[in-house]
Amino acid sequence: MKTRAYSKKVRAGKVLCIVLAVMLAALGLGGCSSTKLAEAFDEAAVKEAAQAAVDHLNAGEYEECVAMMSQEMQEALSAEALASAAEGVFAKAGAFQEYKSVAVVGQKDKAGTDYAVAVVVADFENGKVTYNVSFDTNMEIVGFWMK
């Protein structure tokens, strides 16, 4: 007979695996150097797109969030997997309160490809959640991490 604690550990393990898969998808940016935001990006548009993605998560609109992602990300992260990861984070964080800050930085990968990374910090009733949302020049999400 499986205990409730065991079930929670299994779910936590699954959520961790899903979050790690998303992080691995963003590893293409892992060896990047931080730079000033490239001219190909509009800082306000990056902030708006990042908040839109987070808004979709907060509203439980996982399909809409995944639709903002590149084809490669969509293949790596289904709406169901995103829902499981997000719900695990939200279960601890509680209800969304407000955005505290949104910052944007530029990055280049080893090949010199430009990316924009938005760091969104949001207050929830039980603490803060930080989202890192990476965009390519087509404004598609190519990396998504939340903690």
Side-chain angles (χ1 to χ4, degrees), residues 22-104:
V22 173
M23 290 173 62
L24 287 174
L27 269 182
L29 300 177
C32 302
S33 59
S34 293
T35 62
K36 183 177 174 183
L37 189 63
E39 290 182 19
F41 296 99
D42 174 62
E43 183 175 355
V46 173
K47 286 181 177 182
E48 183 178 315
Q51 277 189 265
V54 174
D55 285 343
H56 286 311
L57 283 181
N58 290 338
E61 300 167 348
Y62 305 111
E63 291 285 342
E64 290 83 348
C65 188
V66 170
M68 296 177 70
M69 298 179 181
S70 69
Q71 186 64 38
E72 183 177 276
M73 279 290 293
Q74 289 180 21
E75 291 170 5
L77 182 67
S78 68
E80 293 79 19
L82 181 60
S84 179
E87 289 167 5
V89 171
F90 297 154
K92 293 178 184 174
F96 174 78
Q97 302 293 312
E98 66 178 336
Y99 291 110
K100 290 305 277 183
S101 64
V102 181
V104 177

Side-chain angles (χ1 to χ4, degrees), residues 69-136:
M69 298 179 181
S70 69
Q71 186 64 38
E72 183 177 276
M73 279 290 293
Q74 289 180 21
E75 291 170 5
L77 182 67
S78 68
E80 293 79 19
L82 181 60
S84 179
E87 289 167 5
V89 171
F90 297 154
K92 293 178 184 174
F96 174 78
Q97 302 293 312
E98 66 178 336
Y99 291 110
K100 290 305 277 183
S101 64
V102 181
V104 177
V105 296
Q107 288 190 328
K108 285 185 183 278
D109 66 10
K110 291 178 184 177
T113 305
D114 288 308
Y115 297 95
V117 180
V119 180
V120 179
V121 179
D123 270 346
F124 285 75
E125 72 182 340
N126 299 325
K128 293 185 186 327
V129 175
T130 302
Y131 304 86
N132 289 354
V133 187
S134 302
F135 294 92
D136 62 14

